[in-house]
Amino acid sequence: DLALMFEDAPRPELQAGHVLVRLAAAGVNPSDSMSREGAFKQYMPLAFPWTPGLEGAGVVEGVGEGVTSFKAGQEVYGFVIGGYAQYALAEVSNLQPKPPALTMEEAAASPMGAAMAWAAVIDTAQIEEGQAVLIHGAAGGIGAFATQLAHWKKAFVIGTASADNLAFVRSLGADMASDYYDTPFEAVVHNVDAVIDTVGGDIPARSWAVLRPGGILAA
């Protein structure tokens, strides 16, 4: 039975180089259910009972041997091990102090989307100033970060989203926002340097037509 169950679990034991976090909020990602269903078992096997959850925010409960960058009572966020619980361990390198401007919920929902957007925009596409970038799903958990990163790199940013989210996408720095329900993106986008796809389906295959020769598709 792969159903989630709410039950008591032992508090994780501190390990060297780790931080024990008392969580206030946890991020929920598609990879959580995919892991539970065995999608990654060939290279990341699970031992059941298993607590899902890869990201969260909360307060440091304790630090392991060798950890000097955090202290008990400090608000933190980042990647954790078993975030669907009251307490979770995190490698010290996977945590950051929580910015005061972010709520616990906002901070908990940020690490995965931000990391994937960085990998696409900065590491893979290597966006540079003056380039044109099409971001599919620009209002989503990854797309919203990708839009801001591409804008930060001073690219010309085109974002697709639903009509209700077009103003939001523009507020993130998009120079152009297109309703993907109303207008096929191929009709308004041409010869871009990079496409960042966060939607899937037939979008990657269709996106080749709007790329310039030598352009990059990150999907």
Side-chain angles (χ1 to χ4, degrees):
D1 188 355
L2 297 177
L4 286 174
M5 299 179 66
F6 182 77
E7 59 185 15
D8 290 332
R11 183 184 300 191
E13 294 185 7
L14 264 174
Q15 304 171 21
H18 287 68
V19 175
L20 180 64
V21 181
R22 177 163 47 85
L23 291 167
V28 178
N29 294 280
S31 59
D32 298 336
S33 59
M34 293 171 66
S35 294
R36 194 174 81 244
E37 293 167 357
F40 312 120
K41 63 182 179 181
Q42 289 183 333
Y43 56 91
M44 194 173 65
L46 304 178
F48 291 93
W50 168 74
T51 302
L54 297 174
E55 58 184 354
V59 177
V60 174
E61 184 76 9
V63 299
E65 182 182 352
V67 176
T68 59
S69 51
F70 297 102
K71 60 183 180 180
Q74 185 175 0
E75 294 186 340
V76 294
Y77 77 115
F79 292 103
V80 300
I81 304 166
Y84 290 16
Q86 186 177 6
Y87 295 93
L89 285 178
E91 293 185 26
V92 65
S93 60
N94 286 336
L95 283 183
Q96 295 290 331
K98 186 185 78 65
L102 293 182
T103 66
M104 287 290 187
E105 291 79 9
E106 290 168 339
S110 297
M112 183 65 72
M116 296 185 72
W118 184 278
V121 174
I122 306 300
D123 295 337
T124 301
Q126 298 182 4
I127 299 303
E128 299 177 354
E129 181 176 353
Q131 289 187 321
V133 184
L134 170 62
I135 300 174
H136 293 297
I142 301 171
F145 284 107
T147 301
Q148 294 175 80
L149 286 171
H151 174 71
W152 170 63
K153 296 298 287 187
K154 300 182 179 178
F156 183 86
V157 184
I158 307 161
T160 68
S162 65
D164 290 342
N165 286 322
L166 295 181
F168 172 63
V169 169
R170 294 188 188 98
S171 76
L172 298 175
D175 300 281
M176 174 180 168
S178 177
D179 179 359
Y180 48 51
Y181 291 119
D182 180 65
T183 306
F185 65 87
E186 300 96 326
V188 293
V189 179
H190 308 283
N191 208 40
V192 296
D193 297 283
V195 174
I196 310 298
D197 174 46
T198 71
V199 177
D202 66 346
I203 297 298
R206 291 167 54 194
S207 294
W208 292 113
V210 305
L211 274 172
R212 65 164 175 79
I216 295 176
L217 169 63

